[in-house]
Amino acid sequence: MILEIVNHEYQYEAEKLTRLFYPNEKIKVVFGSAESVDELRLRTSLTPEEVRAELFDKDGKCLFSEQSEYKNGDDRELLLMTLVFGILSRHTGYVPEWGMLTGIRPSKLFRSLGGRAREEFLGTYLVSEKKTALTENVARAEEKIISLSKPESFSLYVSIPFCPSRCSYCSFVSHDMTAQTVKKLMPDYIGALVKEISFTAETAKELGLNLESIYFGGGTPTTLDAEGLKTLTDAVSDSFDMGTVREYTVEAGRPDTVTAEKLRVLKNAGVSRISINPQSFSDRVLRAIGRKHTAAQTEEAFLLARKEGFGNINTDLIAGLPEDTEEGFRQTVEKTLSLNPENITVHSLALKRASYMGEDGVVQARKNRLCSRMLDFSYEKLTASGYTPYYMYRQSKTLGNLENTGYCKEGRECLYNIFMMEECHSVLAVGAGAVTRLKAPHGAQIDRIFNYKYPYEYIKDFDEILKRKKGIAEFYKNNP
Ligand code: SF4
């Protein structure tokens, strides 16, 4: 489709909003009038008196036309986007539940709006009543965790971008450990990571920072063998002052990587929280998404972790997976509840890969509605079972533009998730693909330091990583 931008500078917003309604289509942005048109065309324009949005079919026939006059002080961008939203909703019959909100942190926005938040969500951003209520609950739950973070706080993220095989829907940079080339890299990767951990700890010490939470993510950190995990967890506890750590999480996401030996290493290192991720409890769905384990293996791994003394376990589920049905998803939620985990995180499937795309709008709309019903069911069922939504974020290209929500039992919020998502304090991140997010202790300034994305680059140019990491001290010097 063609998006015409006439006399205004809201191209980015208009394109983003249009993409909500046409996620699978190529949107050609044209400044002024398109020269040749034989496709759907959305014209957005601004005159000294009014904003206007018009939709034309491929023969040039006007399907919808809306305009709004504005006065000095009116938000012209918002007026124009409201017109676009209205026209595209009517044309497609699809009303996004998150309305015009495209940001990834709705609860942060909600808090920043203070007493006007509900009204703005419903009336200005056109967010549905259900999603507004969800955001309100999450914002409330986050507040008490946010207050734990102090100016001298920081968290540590350790990146292990390896998995035992690659899931078909994966959007992370994760390397299949079965590949010989990847296996060969491992000793050097761990060696470099130990050095970076030690360097980062020195920096934190010099700056007088307190470590609040640790998160090993990836990938799947438990893809490493027990020895590799021990080397890294030892490096962390030898390098950092662990006295201030409130939470220590390691993702053991893939049940096929979980062994008693590895769990003992983690337990002995002081890991207080792990993730064992069913995604689905249907073997048919697991096969369809390329997970090389069964539902029974998930349950075994979960029970093994309980037996080894883990009292805080998260389970990730995904709504909208290929081959899944509404009934199948209900059974997954119920089976998960029967295991009684402390955290359940419900994700909406993200359509990152071209192979999932190119479906026609009708198929897409049906999947969006199915995913929405699955999320509604999980909200109803989990809240009725004593879980509270405490963490939520949105990512691009999810089915129906829907959200990911973390639920927990009372007092079992994952601190790291909130600290990181709400940008409460700096997250010093180590390893390939890691991104350090520096937050000014007494201000809003955020800077990022990027490590190399791929393990071979990370190992080869490791000196450059340490050079970049000097930026941490520099940042704190400039933002005391
Ligand atoms: S386990 Fe997670 S990180 Fe690993 S391949 Fe599957 S989706 Fe990607």
Side-chain angles (χ1 to χ4, degrees), residues 3 11 113 365 388:
L3 169 63
Q11 172 213 338
L113 292 170
T388 308

Side-chain angles (χ1 to χ4, degrees), residues 228-331:
L229 286 172
K230 178 150 174 37
T231 306
L232 292 179
T233 49
D234 282 352
V236 169
S237 42
D238 293 347
S239 308
F240 288 95
D241 174 0
M242 302 290 278
T244 53
V245 175
R246 297 173 191 268
E247 177 187 84
Y248 191 167
T249 301
V250 173
E251 284 187 11
R254 290 272 292 254
D256 43 340
T257 63
V258 176
T259 66
E261 192 189 7
K262 293 182 198 179
L263 289 170
R264 278 176 211 148
V265 168
L266 300 181
K267 193 77 195 149
N268 291 336
V271 171
S272 56
R273 181 178 181 273
I274 59 172
S275 267
I276 293 181
N277 298 331
Q279 313 298 25
S280 166
F281 270 107
S282 154
D283 283 339
R284 195 187 66 241
V285 174
L286 291 173
R287 268 196 304 277
I289 59 175
R291 299 276 283 197
K292 300 248 160 65
H293 63 84
T294 60
Q297 274 175 288
T298 309
E299 185 170 1
E300 277 162 30
F302 188 95
L303 297 176
L304 184 62
R306 282 288 195 235
K307 192 166 152 235
E308 294 298 331
F310 284 93
N312 194 359
I313 304 181
N314 171 61
T315 49
D316 275 4
L317 307 179
I318 303 180
L321 285 171
E323 295 289 322
D324 209 358
T325 60
E326 203 165 345
E327 182 50 31
F329 183 76
R330 280 169 184 261
Q331 286 170 8

Side-chain angles (χ1 to χ4, degrees), residues 162-163 165-167 169-172 174 218-220 254 279 291:
F162 304 102
C163 283
S165 64
R166 195 157 170 88
C167 309
Y169 59 87
C170 183
S171 57
F172 298 99
S174 176
T220 306
R254 290 272 292 254
Q279 313 298 25
R291 299 276 283 197

